[in-house]
Amino acid sequence: MKPLKTVWSELSQPLPPKWTVADIEPAVTPNQLCDLSRVLDRSQFIHLAEGRANAVFSIKEPRDPAVPKGFFQGTLLRVPKATPDVTPCDYETLQDFQEKFVDVHVGRQHIVPQVLIRISQGVANSLNIKRDYALRNKGVKGDLSVIKAGYAMLVEDMGPSLEYKTLEFKPKWLAQSPMAPKDATRCRTCAREALRNGKLRQMGMKTPAPVCPLGLLHKDRAVVMSTIDRLAPKWSERDRERLADALRESGVLERLRDLQVEGDSGNTLFTRPSDPRFGLSMTLRDCSCFVRMPLDEYSPVVIKLADVDKKNWREKQSYWQRRHTDLVNNGWYRGEESLNPPIETACTLQLNCCLERGIDVPPTFRARLKR
């Protein structure tokens, strides 16, 4: 059997130039998929985490001379949850979207690789037992979702290991919303986070200023480093410098920004929400970025994107439209919300305005900019 690490390595290579969707071949053959399913039938699982629609498990291969030791090392199992009143994830559609749309447009080398497989009822039963135990230990009650036999994903594990420390963040909107007010002093992400933090403050909760994603693509290296300081405050100065260099050299954030803009260049949210390119834009505005920083300073930094699932625009359209209207009409883009004092943000748009006018910059940027 082909080790999963080999599969992940193959799927992390760029697609050859001029390849079309028709040229893409599966990294795992049907016979190998059957072998993987049979090995999973005899494996053990540990519940790691879950969201609204999916649960994630680590895998321990069976003690079998035919199965290499550490066969599932660096691999996680992601499964859909069947929840009352929630449309389940169609994993076939998700896999097809990643292989034929995301990999092609973003670049396969930038995406956390995954393989579509099937799990048996026996595996589903084992996963439910492990999950129920984990949820009880966390004090979770009343959860009616279950895991069923059917499609699941084997996914490369981007978590920490003996060789790497890791960072996860959401790049969000890497360019301003095309429908934002022209005189906005907050980007779309900072406006949205200000609204969220305003609600939390009214509940008596304290929240830090959001990290502005535009800072990661700023032309001034000091602004980039100020942003990374907040993303990885416990990392050494050297590792933060390595991350800044790796982000620039990979070009992945620039590619994300360009695709976000290309698919949403005007009022597409209201006029063409079913446009596939708009759907890709919204997917890439909600993806996660995983960084694996090698402890060996001479090894390359690994940067990949995950959570690139296809958005159901029919379910999301009205929510997206209401959110946009709320941000515009209630002053969140301009920092004119009806709260006293206004919510603190450290938006790069506000910084740019301060630099142009020669006035004091937000405190977040002062140390790096020496102002």
Side-chain angles (χ1 to χ4, degrees):
M1 288 184 288
K2 183 190 295 187
L4 269 301
K5 278 195 170 184
T6 302
V7 175
W8 304 145
S9 178
E10 293 174 358
L11 289 176
S12 296
Q13 300 303 310
L15 292 169
K18 299 183 180 180
W19 264 35
T20 65
V21 170
D23 297 317
I24 300 174
E25 299 178 353
V28 181
T29 67
N31 286 340
Q32 290 171 332
L33 288 175
C34 289
D35 290 340
L36 282 172
S37 294
R38 283 194 289 268
V39 175
L40 283 175
D41 280 338
R42 296 176 290 133
S43 296
Q44 296 179 333
F45 308 95
I46 297 175
H47 178 271
L48 296 180
E50 63 182 76
R52 183 167 177 263
N54 308 282
V56 179
F57 298 81
S58 62
I59 316 166
K60 175 64 176 177
E61 73 277 353
R63 292 184 178 180
D64 184 335
V67 180
K69 186 177 180 180
F71 182 75
F72 287 113
Q73 185 177 355
T75 300
L76 300 175
L77 178 65
R78 179 191 184 204
V79 294
K81 301 189 301 184
T83 306
D85 301 322
V86 176
T87 304
C89 293
D90 179 355
Y91 270 34
E92 283 186 287
T93 299
L94 298 185
Q95 182 72 6
D96 193 66
F97 179 72
Q98 175 161 325
E99 288 181 349
K100 298 180 180 179
F101 213 65
V102 178
D103 285 356
V104 172
H105 289 285
V106 179
R108 187 173 68 173
Q109 69 275 22
H110 298 309
I111 307 299
V112 175
Q114 61 189 31
V115 170
L116 184 70
I117 61 165
R118 295 188 71 94
I119 59 171
S120 65
Q121 187 59 55
V123 170
N125 292 341
S126 178
L127 296 177
N128 280 315
I129 291 171
K130 294 292 185 180
R131 177 173 177 264
D132 291 346
Y133 178 78
L135 294 182
R136 283 198 304 272
N137 283 346
K138 294 178 180 178
V140 177
K141 298 179 180 179
D143 187 291
L144 301 178
S145 58
V146 296
I147 297 166
K148 296 183 177 181
Y151 284 111
M153 300 276 193
L154 291 175
V155 185
E156 183 183 22
D157 183 5
M158 292 295 291
S161 68
L162 296 176
E163 295 84 19
Y164 295 93
K165 56 184 173 183
T166 60
L167 172 69
E168 177 186 356
F169 67 94
K170 281 186 172 290
K172 289 294 185 179
W173 295 55
L174 289 165
Q176 177 64 297
S177 167
M179 294 190 293
K182 299 303 180 185
D183 58 347
T185 57
R186 288 176 179 151
C187 69
R188 171 57 170 76
T189 301
C190 288
R192 170 66 183 88
E193 290 303 303
L195 184 155
R196 174 181 174 274
N197 287 351
K199 293 179 178 179
L200 293 175
R201 191 171 78 180
Q202 290 176 327
M203 297 166 57
M205 301 173 65
K206 293 184 179 181
T207 56
V211 178
C212 179
L214 302 188
L216 293 170
L217 292 173
H218 203 276
K219 62 182 179 181
D220 190 331
R221 171 84 172 200
V223 177
V224 176
M225 290 303 301
S226 292
T227 307
I228 291 176
D229 288 344
R230 301 191 62 211
L231 286 176
K234 295 182 180 180
W235 284 15
S236 68
E237 177 70 8
R238 176 57 186 145
D239 283 344
R240 279 179 268 180
E241 292 279 1
R242 291 169 67 196
L243 175 55
D245 292 340
L247 286 170
R248 185 189 68 249
E249 292 165 6
S250 75
V252 62
L253 296 185
E254 287 84 355
R255 185 60 182 151
L256 278 189
R257 177 197 59 200
D258 294 346
L259 289 169
Q260 290 176 7
V261 171
E262 288 172 14
D264 184 18
S265 57
N267 62 346
T268 311
L269 170 60
F270 290 90
T271 59
R272 303 190 314 279
S274 62
D275 187 327
R277 297 303 292 264
F278 176 69
L280 178 61
S281 290
M282 297 307 288
T283 288
L284 299 180
R285 287 166 172 161
D286 197 36
C287 68
S288 297
C289 183
F290 286 87
V291 178
R292 302 191 85 191
M293 177 65 64
L295 302 183
D296 176 5
E297 188 174 337
Y298 299 99
S299 295
V301 179
V302 180
I303 302 173
K304 293 184 182 180
L305 306 174
D307 302 328
V308 289
D309 294 344
K310 184 178 183 179
K311 298 294 183 184
N312 186 332
W313 69 269
R314 289 183 177 85
E315 290 185 357
K316 294 286 189 178
Q317 177 185 4
S318 60
Y319 168 77
W320 289 335
Q321 291 172 347
R322 288 196 309 271
R323 178 61 67 228
H324 166 74
T325 302
D326 190 2
L327 294 176
V328 173
N329 292 350
N330 293 310
W332 296 102
Y333 273 113
R334 297 187 179 93
E336 298 174 349
E337 60 270 14
S338 57
L339 294 174
N340 188 22
I343 297 298
E344 179 188 355
T345 56
C347 187
T348 306
L349 293 185
Q350 181 185 3
L351 169 67
N352 291 341
C353 183
C354 293
L355 292 174
E356 290 172 2
R357 297 179 181 180
I359 59 179
D360 287 343
V361 301
T364 299
F365 301 102
R366 289 175 188 169
R368 291 284 184 179
L369 291 171
K370 296 181 172 58
R371 289 171 180 254

